[in-house]
Amino acid sequence: MEKSNGLQVILFPLPLQGCINPMIQLAKILHSRGFSITVIHTCFNAPRASSHPFFKLLQIPDGLSEIETRSHDVNLMLTLLNERCESPFRDCLTKLLQAPDSETERKKQMISCLIHDSGWTFTEPLAKSLNLPRLVLNATKASFFRGHFALPQLHRERHLPLQDSEQEDPVREFPPLRKKDVYRLLDEESEVLDAYLNRIYDATKSSSGLIFMSCEELDQESLTQTRQDFQIPVFAIGPSHTRFPASSSSLLAPDETCIPWLDKQEDRSVIYVSFGSLVTISESELLEIAWGLSNSDQPFLWVVRVGMVNGIKWIEAIPEEVMEMLNKNGKIVKWAPQQEVLKHQAIGGYLTHNGWNSTVESVCEGVPMICLPFIWDQFLNARFVCDIWRVGLHLENRIERNEIEGTIRILFLEAKGEVIRERIELLKEKVGTSVKQNGSAYQCLESLVDHIFHLSSN
């Protein structure tokens, strides 16, 4: 850490793994620039204080029942969190801004700004009433953030059923998605989402700035359009995990035994399989993936979270004879140290759900992807990987053993796979340059730090 600059930044992440990681990474970056860090967080998915000894962590009640915390309906959970956290957050923030009378003014000056996840929509009037500058961090690709405000309109205009001839048609309002992607996306949503998106839009537009964990090399057109649309400072500070790893903010304990196992494998021979912290699959899908991995004859490292498979605890549904085949060529773990895994020389491909953090981590390590998106921004990220950057292969929701086996063989054994590897090496180099001195993300980070200083002086 640089010498303290006397300024404090308050951060407020959403309690989802994909949102916690970038917020904690941002906290580490700002701390390294001399800012003191206070993280306000919910009881649900609370970060471990022992992992962040240099931060002040303040917990607020979130009002979620045990049943609600197990819900797979993310939109419902976010709606409930925004309803139930408003009052506790107000109390916590007000206490932070208040101090014994003799120190009140000094304390107020020390707190430079609030940075909250874009999913928190109740913060705008509260920060305004406290005269506290407010910045927004969005954990998705800028293209998705800008495009997803078209969903209410697309929801109103959707006409069922979608004809086969229309499946591949592009969606003008939300490129590079295809109609079949939007239909899968909208099938999960409701009018609750439409109102929620409108609140996100308004809260972001009235903020003092918008932060993305992306860079011009990955998002140039959308970043330019976002700046025009919102008329606020936009900071694309790049893949922050390259500056500080996210392992200390993981909500699940990684199985470190996978690294010695990878050490024994040949270079670029292993397919890494992980669907992140939210995706759930059926028992039949688990079996199809198992057969596909086994039949590919390619070494694999497969992450299956406890509770990821609907109706069963872990992998007990896989028949004993199939497990015997799997154990010959692969390793199954409940969670993995993903950044360390993707850096490993044995990894030659990544069968992924295409969450934004995972997608960027894969690009930064030059690991080509096999894309199997399930929810939310994953559909758009997969299209960029396969159709725009052309550094991966798309399963198109075909969770079928022959499709999985065949796609793995293409990536590892055929000329098409080698071309994909060459492309992702070039993209890796471009993105890596962005975070180096005078790169686009480096300059955006410098601008963000200057902006926070400026906010504190107003």
Side-chain angles (χ1 to χ4, degrees), residues 152-172:
Q153 175 190 342
L154 294 172
H155 190 263
R156 290 190 297 270
E157 294 176 354
R158 182 176 61 166
H159 300 290
L160 294 174
L162 185 65
Q163 302 299 314
D164 288 344
S165 61
E166 299 177 293
Q167 296 276 342
E168 303 294 335
D169 289 352
V171 180
R172 179 179 54 82

Side-chain angles (χ1 to χ4, degrees), residues 56 212 272 370 424:
K56 181 179 182 180
F212 289 107
Y272 172 55
I370 296 175
I424 201 165

Side-chain angles (χ1 to χ4, degrees), residues 26 115 134-138 142 207-216 223 226-227 232-238 440-452 454-455:
L26 177 60
I115 303 177
R134 181 178 58 87
L135 294 108
V136 172
L137 172 65
N138 183 260
S207 73
S208 297
L210 176 58
I211 306 167
F212 289 107
M213 298 305 191
S214 188
C215 58
E216 298 289 338
L223 287 168
T226 301
R227 291 182 177 105
I232 57 174
V234 175
F235 307 95
I237 65 173
S440 67
Y442 178 93
Q443 291 176 334
C444 267
L445 177 57
E446 294 300 307
S447 296
L448 174 62
V449 172
D450 290 344
H451 185 59
I452 294 174
H454 177 72
L455 291 174

